[in-house]
Amino acid sequence: SIAILLYLARKFKTPDHWYPSDLQKRARVDEYLSWQHANIRAKGSKLFLTKVLLPLLTGQPLSPEKLESVTEELNVVLKQFEEKFLQDKPFIAGNDISLADLVALVELMQPVGVGYELFEERPKLAEWRRRVEEAVGKQLFQEAHEGILNAKNL
């Protein structure tokens, strides 16, 4: 949860870029963390649930209309994310990675895990993903997402 991430950042005095002491940068992180619950998390999780879990639980295939509707909802918030939060910056809070970037990318990996290639036609988003992966380390990133990236095989 967001609360535990903030607690850990404060308790273990993580490097400043994770949760910046600069008030403007921290406000950008806080703004994203507050926005993402009802947007990236909600729409990304909905696609994951609709595409994988519901058919598994019901034994019924997903209707193309439902998939299209859920995918379009996610596309709307992805556009908002790019325009409002990424803009022309390397990371959400500016030049350095923060908790906001980690939370955002983790949430976006759910739809990727069920086969929705949301980075393919979004070069700004794809470049941001590459920067986040490099900042945390590609191997660690792959290990952390191994389970979710295999979800479509359920």
Side-chain angles (χ1 to χ4, degrees), residues 47-57 113-114 151-152 154:
L47 181 62
F48 179 81
L49 293 169
T50 304
K51 195 166 180 183
V52 173
L53 292 183
L54 257 116
L56 261 178
L57 294 172
V114 295
K152 64 183 169 219
L154 293 173

Side-chain angles (χ1 to χ4, degrees), residues 2-19:
I2 300 305
I4 196 67
L5 285 175
L6 297 179
Y7 168 79
L8 292 170
R10 292 172 182 134
K11 178 176 172 75
F12 294 104
K13 297 176 179 48
T14 59
D16 191 66
H17 64 88
W18 290 116
Y19 194 57

Side-chain angles (χ1 to χ4, degrees), residues 12 24 43 48 60 69-70 148:
F12 294 104
Q24 286 186 322
K43 306 310 182 199
F48 179 81
Q60 301 296 315
S69 170
V70 172
I148 197 74

Side-chain angles (χ1 to χ4, degrees), residues 74 78 108-109 111-112 116-122 125:
L74 178 58
L78 290 173
L108 293 177
M109 295 310 289
V112 171
Y116 182 52
E117 297 299 331
L118 59 92
F119 296 103
E120 280 187 2
E121 296 191 19
R122 293 179 179 88
L125 207 56

Side-chain angles (χ1 to χ4, degrees), residues 2-151:
I2 300 305
I4 196 67
L5 285 175
L6 297 179
Y7 168 79
L8 292 170
R10 292 172 182 134
K11 178 176 172 75
F12 294 104
K13 297 176 179 48
T14 59
D16 191 66
H17 64 88
W18 290 116
Y19 194 57
S21 56
D22 175 273
L23 289 180
Q24 286 186 322
K25 290 178 181 178
R26 181 173 285 196
R28 295 295 293 166
V29 171
D30 289 340
E31 179 184 31
Y32 175 78
L33 294 176
S34 294
W35 177 84
Q36 64 92 28
H37 294 286
N39 293 283
I40 296 289
R41 176 176 287 170
K43 306 310 182 199
S45 295
K46 187 174 183 181
L47 181 62
F48 179 81
L49 293 169
T50 304
K51 195 166 180 183
V52 173
L53 292 183
L54 257 116
L56 261 178
L57 294 172
T58 64
Q60 301 296 315
L62 180 65
S63 77
E65 296 81 20
K66 180 67 175 170
L67 181 59
E68 185 178 329
S69 170
V70 172
T71 302
E72 185 51 37
E73 289 177 18
L74 178 58
N75 287 336
V76 168
V77 297
L78 290 173
K79 185 174 190 239
Q80 291 171 344
F81 176 66
E82 285 184 305
E83 291 174 356
K84 171 76 174 145
F85 293 99
L86 288 182
Q87 298 169 343
D88 291 321
K89 303 174 300 209
F91 298 101
I92 293 171
N95 292 323
D96 298 306
I97 190 170
S98 70
L99 289 176
D101 298 287
L102 286 184
V103 169
L105 191 51
V106 165
E107 296 296 345
L108 293 177
M109 295 310 289
Q110 282 190 42
V112 171
V114 295
Y116 182 52
E117 297 299 331
L118 59 92
F119 296 103
E120 280 187 2
E121 296 191 19
R122 293 179 179 88
K124 182 188 291 190
L125 207 56
E127 277 300 304
W128 165 78
R129 175 188 174 171
R130 182 193 58 74
R131 287 189 295 272
V132 173
E133 282 185 40
E134 285 179 2
V136 298
K138 286 186 182 277
Q139 183 176 347
L140 178 60
F141 181 85
Q142 288 303 315
E143 287 175 27
H145 292 91
E146 187 176 340
I148 197 74
L149 292 174
N150 292 315

